[in-house]
Amino acid sequence: MAKRKKKLDEREEANQILGHDPFEDVDLAWMDREEGELSIKALGHDPLQDMDVGWIDQEQEERAPDMAQEESQVVLEDTETEPLPMRAAAPLLEQAPAVVERPIPPQPLEVLQPEPLTVVTPGPTDGPEATFHFPADFKWGVATAAHQVEGRNIHNDWWNWEQTDGHIKQGHKSELACDWWVNAEVDFDRAAAMGLNSLRISVEWSRVEPRPGEFDESALERYSQMLQGLRERHIEPMVTLHHFTNPSWLAEQGGWENPETIALFARFVRRTVEVLGQHCDLWCTINEPNVYGYLGYLEGTFPPGRSDFGAARRVIRHLLSGHAAAYREIHALQPGARVGFAHNMNPFDPANPRSPLDRRVTRIADQAFNQSILTALARGRWTLPLGFRLAWKLRRTLDWIGLNYYTRDLVAFDHTQRRTLFGRRLHADDAELLDGGYGEFYPQGLFRCLRRLARLDVPIYVTENGIPDHDDDQRPRHLLAHLHQMWHAIQLCYPVMGYYHWTLVDNFEWAEGWTLRFGLIALDPQTQARTPRRSADLYAEIVQANAITPHAIDTYARELRSELLPG
Ligand code: FCB
């Protein structure tokens, strides 16, 4: 009751500010074309109010009282919460006033075309010294995806998409990418030299099953070889089974919009795990259903280039059902497997926190992009905008959750932005921006997302985090600041088990082509020459010390000293 009163007040306030009710003429019935069960129209004439998460929960609790009671403790919103109860001894911030620990310098990386690196010698420090340690068994890795690194993935929908002018910036193509299909091992050597103990790759469905039901054993053999190669280098593989690309034959029959794809994906997963299961038990079923749905079916910058809200919802639901089906297939074959999926989370904040409209569209953006997927997996129910029904099959299908974190957005109400549920995304005037308008430099967002995921009470891996930074002028500071946020989360006993930096070597960045460079190591795609950036040395130093040391801060981002080591 009090909540409803607050909303009415907010709406009146909005009326006063704008001089009219902005939602009066807004008809959101288009949002609900397929969802026969409950029409948006039946919800009254204030559709944005009805998008509120609280309303959805209330509605669904009435429909499924038992389940609601059982799970009423699950709180997943991005609000201030108490730290979790202690589960394990947290690694301590070790004060080292007298002797400054110097990590063993990283092994030099093999450089094909080295450029002279700027050597920064830290001067004497007069501030306090402290080392931020990570847990002994922490996984330090890098993440990649098949299409972005393998080269010549000619049987998938992305290859086809790249052939049309206007789809990829500057007409770029993936071509040979990083040539991993032929020689991933040169980069595995680099990863090993840096001291990494895990690496996230993906299996390309179109290589394994180039025609429906026909499995290419030689492709599976190549993946086996790669996984063995990682094991030989003491690098644990994490294998993603779907990272944005689909076999062309699958795309032609409707891709993930077609519900039959769920069973077809399960069949591909079964065959792949039968063969690769001897080298891997850490599986990531699907990468970023929300990004896939948003870019492919709303913004239209990924294949199939659609702009259809209903289709986007269906596709995300099918991807999540595909995740659940894959989870069961993998566990049937490998009872001890650890299976999760990678969720892209983007914190949203109101552009003007005093504006009720901005606050409302911010909540909607959060619900649509971040929360609806978590609710589906944690509570087994679809919530808006994904749907209304129960989603029982999704329950208990997470052994861990992966977080892909890059940036946050401010959201302002804009009645013209119907496609993005009336929210216009923008950045604060004083925000430090990343290359190519990729977003805001905002390390605290990593902590905020980890805090929220910790409520799921399953292990968390940061399955992606990185920055497009061609000249590496922000990446060292970015890396240190983000890892420090993660360290902070671990101190609060949030169960963060590993971190996978995106990425080792510059790779084909989807619709951005080669214009955005995320690599710790620079790549010239024409010559395949690799040149480590300073950040590669920094990451190696952190990984080998299993800690952020004052030496690393002073050498690579001295300007962070006052923030990370306040006196
Ligand atoms: C993520 C994708 C990954 C890469 C990074 C930069 O959303 O999962 O493939 O493109 O962004």
Side-chain angles (χ1 to χ4, degrees), residues 210-519:
R211 279 163 298 280
E214 268 180 43
F215 291 94
D216 180 344
E217 298 305 322
S218 66
L220 283 166
E221 179 47 38
R222 171 67 184 130
Y223 283 119
S224 276
Q225 197 183 37
M226 285 190 204
L227 299 186
Q228 277 178 59
L230 289 171
R231 292 281 185 198
E232 281 157 14
R233 292 166 177 80
H234 307 289
I235 296 176
E236 180 178 11
M238 173 191 279
V239 175
T240 306
L241 294 157
H242 187 273
H243 196 126
F244 292 167
T245 53
N246 299 305
S248 307
W249 59 263
L250 189 91
E252 279 156 22
Q253 59 190 55
W256 285 93
E257 208 184 339
N258 182 347
E260 285 169 21
T261 295
I262 299 165
L264 296 174
F265 179 62
R267 180 177 70 180
F268 151 73
V269 168
R270 191 161 54 239
R271 184 71 198 120
T272 302
V273 174
E274 271 168 5
V275 178
L276 303 185
Q278 51 182 319
H279 309 298
C280 174
D281 67 355
L282 184 57
W283 303 98
C284 174
T285 55
I286 293 194
N287 186 68
E288 301 183 344
N290 51 0
V291 171
Y292 181 91
Y294 181 77
L295 297 180
Y297 291 84
L298 272 185
E299 202 181 90
T301 48
F302 276 24
R306 302 262 299 279
S307 180
D308 177 340
F309 199 93
R313 282 196 308 174
R314 263 194 311 277
V315 160
I316 296 174
R317 285 203 304 250
H318 292 162
L319 282 163
L320 291 174
S321 301
H323 155 78
Y327 180 93
R328 296 197 169 88
E329 292 291 347
I330 299 170
H331 272 284
L333 290 165
Q334 234 187 8
R338 292 160 294 152
V339 185
F341 99 110
H343 185 34
N344 183 302
M345 288 185 78
N346 193 102
F348 295 104
D349 289 312
N352 174 4
R354 295 174 60 196
S355 157
L357 290 171
D358 287 6
R359 291 203 302 269
R360 288 177 93 184
V361 287
T362 300
R363 281 203 300 272
I364 290 165
D366 180 67
Q367 163 65 16
F369 194 80
N370 297 319
Q371 183 61 39
S372 54
I373 287 176
L374 294 177
T375 308
L377 290 162
R379 298 190 191 184
R381 63 175 83 159
W382 302 120
T383 51
L384 282 171
L386 296 184
F388 301 96
R389 299 188 202 111
L390 299 179
W392 283 101
K393 286 197 175 154
L394 265 55
R395 300 183 75 212
R396 304 205 181 85
T397 60
L398 279 186
D399 299 328
W400 55 269
I401 180 99
L403 168 65
N404 292 359
Y405 171 70
Y406 288 93
T407 187
R408 70 119 175 224
D409 284 303
L410 301 185
V411 189
F413 172 75
D414 181 341
H415 72 281
T416 64
Q417 304 282 318
R418 157 178 280 239
R419 207 171 53 171
T420 53
L421 302 175
F422 306 101
R424 186 165 41 87
R425 297 188 184 188
L426 52 126
H427 302 296
D429 292 341
D430 59 351
E432 176 180 348
L433 298 181
L434 309 178
D435 281 8
Y438 196 76
E440 186 180 327
F441 185 111
Y442 183 65
Q444 301 90 315
L446 179 59
F447 178 82
R448 285 172 64 181
C449 294
L450 291 173
R451 179 176 62 197
R452 192 162 166 181
L453 290 180
R455 311 307 301 179
L456 291 172
D457 212 18
V458 293
I460 305 169
Y461 289 96
V462 177
T463 34
E464 288 180 28
N465 172 236
I467 175 177
D469 186 16
H470 198 281
D471 56 5
D472 212 40
D473 65 335
Q474 292 171 300
R475 190 178 285 104
R477 189 161 43 90
H478 181 278
L479 190 55
L480 282 162
H482 283 75
L483 294 182
H484 183 257
Q485 292 287 329
M486 184 173 73
W487 173 87
H488 180 199
I490 294 170
Q491 299 317 295
L492 295 178
C493 284
Y494 299 167
V496 186
M497 318 304 282
Y499 173 89
Y500 294 81
H501 189 78
W502 188 277
T503 186
L504 183 64
V505 181
D506 287 341
N507 60 34
F508 178 72
E509 183 48 36
W510 308 113
E512 306 291 335
W514 295 93
T515 63
L516 294 185
R517 302 304 186 106
F518 279 86

Side-chain angles (χ1 to χ4, degrees), residues 20-77:
H20 67 279
D21 181 346
F23 300 124
E24 211 165 48
D25 304 323
V26 176
D27 172 16
L28 282 192
W30 55 275
M31 277 185 51
D32 197 42
R33 262 179 237 136
E34 290 82 20
E35 213 49 72
E37 284 193 1
L38 187 54
S39 155
I40 285 273
K41 281 186 194 137
L43 306 179
H45 56 271
D46 184 1
L48 288 188
Q49 175 181 312
D50 297 329
M51 292 288 292
D52 183 274
V53 195
W55 174 87
I56 295 158
D57 287 350
Q58 192 187 328
E59 174 78 17
Q60 300 221 356
E61 275 158 24
E62 277 164 24
R63 288 158 161 245
D66 294 343
M67 192 177 78
Q69 197 180 6
E70 184 191 325
E71 297 187 349
S72 60
Q73 300 309 315
V74 184
V75 179
L76 296 168
E77 289 177 30

Side-chain angles (χ1 to χ4, degrees), residues 53-117:
V53 195
W55 174 87
I56 295 158
D57 287 350
Q58 192 187 328
E59 174 78 17
Q60 300 221 356
E61 275 158 24
E62 277 164 24
R63 288 158 161 245
D66 294 343
M67 192 177 78
Q69 197 180 6
E70 184 191 325
E71 297 187 349
S72 60
Q73 300 309 315
V74 184
V75 179
L76 296 168
E77 289 177 30
D78 183 16
T79 50
E80 287 295 330
T81 48
E82 291 298 311
L84 293 182
M86 296 289 285
R87 258 188 297 249
L92 297 173
L93 168 66
E94 187 182 276
Q95 297 294 338
V99 187
V100 180
E101 208 182 298
R102 300 277 175 206
I104 309 157
Q107 284 177 252
L109 296 168
E110 187 197 348
V111 184
L112 298 183
Q113 281 199 346
E115 274 177 9
L117 293 179

